[in-house]
Amino acid sequence: DAGVIQSPRHEVTEMGQEVTLRCKPISGHNSLFWYRQTMMRGLELLIYFNNNVPIDDSGMPEDRFSAKMPNASFSTLKIQPSEPRDSAVYFCASAERARSYNEQFFGPGTRLTVL
Amino acid sequence: AQSVTQLGSHVSVSEGALVLLRCNYSSSVPPYLFWYVQYPNQGLQLLLKYTSAATLVKGINGFEAEFKKSETSFHLTKPSAHMSDAAEYFCAVITSGSQGNLIFGKGTKLSVKP
């Protein structure tokens, strides 16, 4: 089992550029979560999907952020245009189903630096 | 709305000493509670979870936590710290029926001194 796969692991970009983060959930999992982690705000849920459908995107900070899940094995989080305050570690997690007590498996994260 | 509070952003113990990381929750309905561990430059890994069965929950790496409804607490303990336990620990809550939306605490960084 490869676990949740995220790419790239590190991304350095300049303000105003478009950034795309990618996630491959664990095969068979039908819930996918995007989180952001910063020193100031800790871990924040940005958006989550059940069966490829976005259920709650209330954590997405601004319209500059968008997420898609075109199929069960792939999701993207896009920031356009990026700003320095978007610098953070972005985690993707997946779960077998959106039951309250099912374990979420986290990927290794993408460390984003916006200059 | 549900929330968790972790007391102490940084805890330091000596190797072999008791580890106690505190977590208090706020929820108007029975919660499900979790402890996750994050090693440097890695994602989060589940240590243990409480899902309304036994109030004393045992997890991986010798950790355990006790759910105390009267104190709205779910503190994490380990009898004897190892150097490899140095990491950041997160308490999280899901209100039953909320379709898996985890609410995380701010985290507690555990340091272990030789």
Side-chain angles (χ1 to χ4, degrees):
Chain A
D1 186 352
V4 176
I5 298 173
Q6 291 188 247
S7 64
R9 292 295 309 276
H10 302 273
E11 177 80 28
V12 180
T13 191
E14 292 187 347
M15 182 174 62
Q17 297 297 306
E18 177 179 297
V19 175
T20 299
L21 311 180
R22 297 173 177 78
C23 175
K24 177 179 170 55
I26 292 173
S27 178
H29 284 190
N30 58 1
S31 294
L32 184 138
F33 308 79
W34 281 102
Y35 292 88
R36 178 172 68 176
Q37 185 179 36
T38 61
M39 290 292 291
M40 291 297 295
R41 301 174 68 89
L43 266 167
E44 304 172 277
L45 176 65
L46 300 178
I47 185 171
Y48 74 96
F49 297 82
N50 286 348
N51 296 316
N52 313 337
V53 176
I55 301 301
D56 184 355
D57 65 354
S58 59
M60 297 285 263
E62 302 173 31
D63 291 345
R64 299 184 296 106
F65 285 70
S66 62
K68 294 182 179 180
M69 192 165 186
N71 57 62
S73 59
F74 184 66
S75 177
T76 59
L77 178 68
K78 185 176 293 186
I79 308 172
Q80 166 64 14
S82 58
E83 297 182 4
R85 59 195 169 116
D86 302 330
S87 297
V89 181
Y90 290 82
F91 289 103
C92 175
S94 69
E96 184 174 351
R97 56 186 175 183
R99 294 282 297 276
S100 299
Y101 50 84
N102 268 21
E103 177 183 356
Q104 293 184 22
F105 292 80
F106 282 74
T110 295
R111 183 174 296 275
L112 173 65
T113 303
V114 183
L115 303 174
Chain B
Q2 61 272 25
S3 65
V4 290
T5 301
Q6 292 184 241
L7 298 177
S9 59
H10 190 206
V11 170
S12 182
V13 301
S14 297
E15 192 173 19
L18 171 71
V19 176
L20 171 60
L21 304 182
R22 300 177 186 274
C23 173
N24 288 88
Y25 69 90
S26 172
S27 177
S28 59
V29 295
Y32 296 141
L33 294 156
F34 304 77
W35 276 100
Y36 279 83
V37 61
Q38 184 180 27
Y39 298 103
N41 300 314
Q42 294 188 27
L44 280 71
Q45 177 184 2
L46 183 70
L47 268 180
L48 49 80
K49 62 186 177 187
Y50 166 76
T51 58
S52 73
T55 56
L56 182 62
V57 182
K58 294 187 184 298
I60 62 172
N61 301 338
F63 284 92
E64 62 182 37
E66 186 172 9
F67 173 72
K68 291 187 177 181
K69 183 178 179 180
S70 61
E71 299 177 8
T72 61
S73 69
F74 190 57
H75 301 331
L76 181 70
T77 60
K78 182 174 180 177
S80 177
H82 294 169
M83 296 296 291
S84 60
D85 294 328
E88 190 157 17
Y89 293 79
F90 293 89
C91 183
V93 64
I94 294 178
T95 299
S96 55
S98 70
Q99 297 190 42
N101 188 357
L102 274 171
I103 307 297
F104 284 92
K106 294 289 189 184
T108 298
K109 187 165 289 187
L110 176 66
S111 300
V112 182
K113 298 174 291 186

